[in-house]
Amino acid sequence: MPEIILGIESSCDDTSAAVIRDGYLLSNVLASQDVHKSYGGVIPELASRAHQINIVPVVSEAITRAGITPDQITAIAFTRGPGLLGSLLVGTSFAKGLSLAIDRPLVEVNHLQGHILANFIKQEGAENRQPEFPYLCLLVSGGNSQIVRVNSPLEYEILGQTIDDAVGEAFDKCAKMMGLGYPGGPVVDRLAKEGDPLRFKFSKPHLPGYDYSFSGIKTSLLYFVRDQIALDPDFMEKNKADICASFQKALIDILMDKLIKAAKDTGIRQITIGGGVSANSGLRNRIEEEGRRRGWTTFLPEFKFTTDNAAMIAIAGWFHFRNGERTSIDVAPVSRLAEF
């Protein structure tokens, strides 16, 4: 019998549902929320309300596109956390209700684990390259920056992580300060392609081991721009492409320095990236460049699997299901990683 997993993702501001069969993707539906753009960031209460509106049609569409009926579903995988508690509650509650309605088991998934396993999503007609174990995953998003040693689909070791802000937050704060809108990462990436990455220099942290810090470089950018605007009120408008290019290069340098160190120290040459910031073209190019230089085998997720999506939740849930794991109906969502 085929194993058909319905995945549900609602950790932040995207409502998504996906269906996989024996590891192959049948459908992946996502509803984004534009309501947050005018606020320059995600408003938790508005996010949870939008999830309530979107969850039923999104799941229904995913099942329809997959060409299955609800009674063919083997198990329901859902994001338990980390994320916004109200948003998680919508997805968790819906998963519970559907589980009771069709009498199928629940499988909880760690949202970050989904990003780590995104390269295992198989698609008909695609090359479907997959890393070998163990591999290193550079996990980069708006809330997390980590280097993870992945020993098996369900066995992980965090080698290093941010001690303050995440790199995605640094991108967004840079864009917000420059009036570029939200989300900031894609805008900074686009402008960086037009600018000179060597024009400006920003201070970089020097932490031992594999841990990251991004609060200092944000402060460096803030003071730099403030001082330049005091001398020339039009400085920002005239130089925004060069600022974005230089700032993005500094962030990528910080990420890569630690990843290179971890690869050297562990001897692991299978390298992947995951999370929303893995869509950044500068980072993707740098990963491949370092891979060619250092003999790495690199794996970059498709762009549609970099942002929050239910396909990655479904594939992670499939691995958990095959391991015999099931989740109780009285489970509660958790907002922080430490609560898992």
Side-chain angles (χ1 to χ4, degrees), residues 29-56:
V29 179
L30 185 145
S32 297
Q33 302 176 4
D34 293 331
V35 67
H36 307 285
K37 290 183 178 180
S38 59
Y39 297 96
V42 176
I43 307 301
E45 177 62 25
L46 296 180
S48 58
R49 291 180 183 180
H51 282 303
Q52 288 179 312
I53 295 171
N54 293 331
I55 189 73
V56 172

Side-chain angles (χ1 to χ4, degrees), residues 303-316:
F303 285 105
K304 63 183 177 182
F305 300 138
T306 58
T307 56
D308 295 345
N309 66 92
M312 67 182 192
I313 303 304
I315 196 68

Side-chain angles (χ1 to χ4, degrees), residues 90-278:
V90 175
T92 301
S93 298
F94 184 89
K96 289 180 180 182
L98 185 59
S99 171
L100 292 172
I102 65 175
D103 192 26
R104 295 296 186 272
L106 291 170
V107 181
E108 66 180 72
V109 173
N110 180 325
H111 175 80
L112 303 182
Q113 183 186 35
H115 283 303
I116 291 172
L117 295 174
N119 284 292
F120 288 89
I121 301 168
K122 293 186 288 187
Q123 301 176 84
E124 294 289 348
E127 187 178 0
N128 294 322
R129 294 175 63 243
Q130 297 179 349
E132 299 176 0
F133 299 102
Y135 66 86
L136 295 181
C137 178
L138 178 63
L139 181 57
V140 281
S141 67
N144 298 275
S145 298
Q146 299 177 336
I147 298 176
V148 183
R149 175 180 172 134
V150 186
N151 297 315
S152 75
L154 303 178
E155 183 184 356
Y156 309 89
E157 179 185 357
I158 298 176
L159 301 182
Q161 58 189 330
T162 181
I163 63 172
D164 41 54
D165 301 325
V167 65
E169 185 180 354
F171 273 113
D172 286 341
K173 291 290 179 62
C174 168
K176 186 174 184 178
M177 185 193 65
M178 296 175 66
L180 301 178
Y182 176 87
V187 184
V188 173
D189 189 22
R190 176 176 57 80
L191 287 172
K193 296 174 184 177
E194 306 168 6
D196 179 3
L198 303 178
R199 173 83 183 282
F200 304 112
K201 302 292 184 182
F202 297 102
S203 61
K204 300 175 186 177
H206 297 282
L207 272 68
Y210 311 120
D211 284 340
Y212 290 115
S213 172
F214 294 100
S215 63
I217 192 171
K218 288 195 310 179
T219 303
S220 175
L221 173 68
L222 173 65
Y223 286 141
F224 168 75
V225 170
R226 184 198 64 180
D227 293 345
Q228 295 300 317
I229 290 178
L231 299 174
D232 179 5
D234 297 325
F235 172 81
M236 183 80 74
E237 185 60 31
K238 292 187 294 187
N239 297 281
K240 61 183 179 181
D242 289 345
I243 295 172
C244 288
S246 300
F247 187 67
Q248 176 168 288
K249 179 182 183 302
L251 294 178
I252 293 173
D253 285 346
I254 294 170
L255 290 171
M256 292 306 302
D257 286 349
K258 299 291 188 175
L259 181 61
I260 291 168
K261 175 177 172 57
K264 283 182 178 179
D265 293 348
T266 62
I268 296 175
R269 295 176 177 269
Q270 299 274 312
I271 308 294
T272 75
I273 57 175
V277 181
S278 67

Side-chain angles (χ1 to χ4, degrees), residues 3-12 14-21 23-30 51 55 58-59 62 73 75-83 87-88 91-92 94-95 105-122 139 153-154 156 275 301 304-322 325 327 334 340:
E3 294 172 339
I4 298 177
I5 308 297
L6 169 67
I8 296 174
E9 155 62 20
S10 67
S11 64
C12 191
D14 290 326
T15 312
S16 183
V19 177
I20 67 165
R21 178 173 56 211
Y24 280 86
L25 185 66
L26 301 182
S27 67
N28 188 32
V29 179
L30 185 145
H51 282 303
I55 189 73
V58 164
V59 172
I73 295 171
I76 303 165
F78 67 98
T79 303
R80 186 184 173 203
S87 295
L88 291 166
T92 301
F94 184 89
L106 291 170
V107 181
E108 66 180 72
V109 173
N110 180 325
H111 175 80
L112 303 182
Q113 183 186 35
H115 283 303
I116 291 172
L117 295 174
N119 284 292
F120 288 89
I121 301 168
K122 293 186 288 187
L139 181 57
L154 303 178
Y156 309 89
K304 63 183 177 182
F305 300 138
T306 58
T307 56
D308 295 345
N309 66 92
M312 67 182 192
I313 303 304
I315 196 68
W318 183 56
F319 283 116
H320 282 290
F321 179 82
R322 298 184 74 191
E325 299 176 36
T327 299
V334 295
F340 264 91

